[in-house]
Amino acid sequence: EPRVRWLSALIDGFDATMECRFDEAEALIATCHAIGDQIGESEAFTTYAAQFFTLGSHRGRRGEMLARVPDELDTTESVERTFAVAHAIACIEVGQRDVARVTLDEAIDRGLAAIPADFMWSSLTIGLSILAVELGDRTAADLLVDQLGPFADEVSFNGAMSQGPISVHVGRLATLLGRFDD
């Protein structure tokens, strides 16, 4: 069954990434994309991009995403916004902090309550917290720590990728804010 092969490859790539078997994960993620593309899976590229970004994050090579993922994807609003934030995070790595600043400012201006409470919520909110920390934005960090704090005992997972324990990101925000006891 082709779709089962695609889902199996997706899970195998995720597992390899989480187990820090990075070279194997990269090959599995590419295989997942190839299978999905071959069977016409509508989420094949989106899943590939999400998993590749997560892999790059764990490897410390987020900037590589810029060459592989187009600026715009035809997908849901929350997925599109999450990829915009991922793109901004990758831009920081290659010295384009102005892109990250605009992305974070737009999200904060729109309001954190505008983030859909769907399967991408934690990915998008954590992405914004990464931007806030990387940019040293204490105002955004203060808003984001309140959003993420109640979920600090959970692990972020959106069906294709994980950004690990939410507590890591809450801790980074609290550190930026000087809340060391928290």
Side-chain angles (χ1 to χ4, degrees):
E1 170 60 44
R3 184 145 170 53
V4 171
R5 285 186 15 249
W6 178 73
L7 288 170
S8 179
L10 186 148
I11 292 166
D12 291 344
F14 172 80
D15 285 347
T17 299
M18 294 297 106
E19 292 172 1
C20 300
R21 295 180 282 123
F22 297 139
D23 291 336
E24 182 182 352
E26 188 166 355
L28 288 165
I29 291 167
T31 297
C32 178
H33 179 246
I35 293 169
D37 197 40
Q38 181 182 37
I39 65 171
E41 172 57 51
S42 63
E43 298 297 320
F45 186 77
T46 303
T47 301
Y48 166 77
Q51 286 195 313
F52 183 80
F53 181 76
T54 302
L55 175 62
S57 292
H58 288 293
R59 282 184 133 167
R61 295 173 16 197
R62 293 177 182 142
E64 291 179 13
M65 185 191 94
L66 295 175
R68 295 194 189 198
V69 180
D71 289 339
E72 295 182 26
L73 295 171
D74 183 24
T75 186
T76 66
E77 180 185 349
S78 60
V79 171
E80 183 178 314
R81 288 175 64 189
T82 304
F83 273 106
V85 169
H87 180 263
I89 292 168
C91 285
I92 288 175
E93 189 168 304
V94 298
Q96 298 175 8
R97 296 175 68 83
D98 55 326
V99 172
R101 170 54 52 204
V102 168
T103 301
L104 180 60
D105 288 348
E106 286 176 354
I108 297 301
D109 290 347
R110 190 178 304 123
L112 298 178
I115 298 173
D118 62 10
F119 71 105
M120 295 300 290
W121 181 89
S122 66
S123 296
L124 180 52
T125 308
I126 287 171
L128 292 171
S129 76
I130 292 168
L131 289 177
V133 168
E134 294 291 326
L135 294 170
D137 188 323
R138 295 172 58 90
T139 301
D142 193 45
L143 296 169
L144 288 157
V145 77
D146 290 341
Q147 291 290 310
L148 286 172
F151 304 97
D153 61 344
E154 297 182 21
V155 173
S156 170
F157 181 70
N158 63 25
M161 62 180 222
S162 173
Q163 290 149 322
I166 293 173
S167 60
V168 169
H169 304 284
V170 171
R172 292 183 75 213
L173 292 165
T175 298
L176 174 62
L177 295 169
R179 297 180 188 171
F180 304 112
D181 291 339
D182 293 349

